[in-house]
């Protein structure tokens, strides 16, 4: 569905993953994070993100003093990122009208007061390819508005919800204002994991 008629291309599938699928996906992500540990990157200005990050797939999105980029290895361990689980690549094939599979999946962990400022996803080579987002754990207040600026609106992203930035909404400005703490029991210790599948190359 398109929840905002004036933001065509912003697609939303509430509750797309049922509880067994959420549990299975979380287990796969936790196994990958044992290999590629979460870390807290900094902006090019040196300010740490409040969100902890890691990646899955041939390429991972990283940020440091040199700026933003995709690279094949974890910045702390130097090892390749673990594979994207088939459950996620299948979701991409089912929901995204794009001829190539995702080659990067950013993992974001939000705990407590973590948030993400308004941004555009524009580090990918082909900005025609969609970005597909999967939410697990606590509900987040997601904010989105047009690429060119102008009014933003908010949408609650709950555990198992999937959304995508496609076509005319691909460069929409978006971010996470806050979490609704305690809204889900899925993640041990509380919090939220967001997975964004991309085509970086
Ligand atoms: C989040 N999501 O949900 C942050 N990016 O934690 C994003 O930054 C995002 O939801 C691209 C496409 C969809 C998204
Ligand atoms: Fe984003």
């Amino acid at each position: 569905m398109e929840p905002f008629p004036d933001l065509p291309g912003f697609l939303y599938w509430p509750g797309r993953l049922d509880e067994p699928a959420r549990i299975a996906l979380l287990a796969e992500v936790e196994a990958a994070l044992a290999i590629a540990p979460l870390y807290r990157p900094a902006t090019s200005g040196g300010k740490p993100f409040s969100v902890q990050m890691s990646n899955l797939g041939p390429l991972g999105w990283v940020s440091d003093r040199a700026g933003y980029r995709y690279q094949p290895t974890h910045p702390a361990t130097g090892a390749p990122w673990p594979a994207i689980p088939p459950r996620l690549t299948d979701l991409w094939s089912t929901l995204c009208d794009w001829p190539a599979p995702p080659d990067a999946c950013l993992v974001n962990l939000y705990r407590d007061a973590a948030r993400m400022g308004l941004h555009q996803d524009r580090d990918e080579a082909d900005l025609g390819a969609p970005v597909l987002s999967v939410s697990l754990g606590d509900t987040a207040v997601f904010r989105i508005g047009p690429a060119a600026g102008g009014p933003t609106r908010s949408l609650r992203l709950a555990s198992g919800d999937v959304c995508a930035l496609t076509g005319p909404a691909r460069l929409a400005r978006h971010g996470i204002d806050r979490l609704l703490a305690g809204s889900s029991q899925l993640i041990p210790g509380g919090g939220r994991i967001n997975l964004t599948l991309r085509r970086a190359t």
Side-chain angles (χ1 to χ4, degrees):
M1 65 172 289
E2 293 191 333
F4 305 118
D6 56 334
L7 275 181
F10 174 60
L11 310 180
Y12 179 46
W13 297 269
R16 184 69 175 71
L17 302 184
D18 62 13
E19 188 67 11
R22 294 169 204 165
I23 291 168
L25 176 57
L26 178 63
E28 290 166 348
V29 170
E30 284 175 332
L33 294 176
I35 297 164
L38 289 160
Y39 68 102
R40 201 181 291 269
T43 64
S44 54
K47 188 173 159 357
F49 283 85
S50 59
V51 176
Q52 295 171 257
M53 297 185 184
S54 188
N55 289 276
L56 312 174
L59 290 167
W61 185 89
V62 301
S63 170
D64 57 25
R65 293 221 82 118
Y68 305 142
R69 64 190 175 279
Y70 283 94
Q71 68 176 41
T73 54
H74 190 291
T77 69
W81 305 105
I84 302 174
R87 185 183 306 279
L88 288 175
T89 50
D90 288 352
L91 194 65
W92 170 282
S93 329
T94 306
L95 299 180
C96 295
D97 182 19
W98 193 256
D103 58 7
C105 176
L106 176 62
V107 181
N108 287 150
L109 172 68
Y110 297 74
R111 297 240 199 232
D112 307 313
R115 55 185 298 283
M116 172 130 5
L118 274 184
H119 66 276
Q120 293 173 299
D121 285 46
R122 54 184 325 148
D123 300 322
E124 299 73 33
D126 186 346
L127 296 176
V131 181
L132 185 71
S133 149
V134 180
S135 294
L136 293 174
D138 284 341
T139 297
V141 180
F142 179 74
R143 178 165 294 284
I144 184 164
T152 60
R153 64 230 74 190
S154 74
L155 177 70
R156 289 182 175 199
L157 293 179
S159 195
D161 287 0
V162 176
C163 67
L165 300 181
T166 75
R170 177 61 178 77
L171 290 177
R173 296 155 65 236
H174 60 280
I176 296 292
D177 289 347
R178 62 194 168 86
L179 298 193
L180 306 184
S183 47
S184 162
Q185 300 304 310
L186 182 68
I187 295 179
R192 170 176 184 263
I193 289 177
N194 177 254
L195 305 161
T196 43
L197 292 157
R198 298 120 187 284
R199 185 78 203 168
T201 53

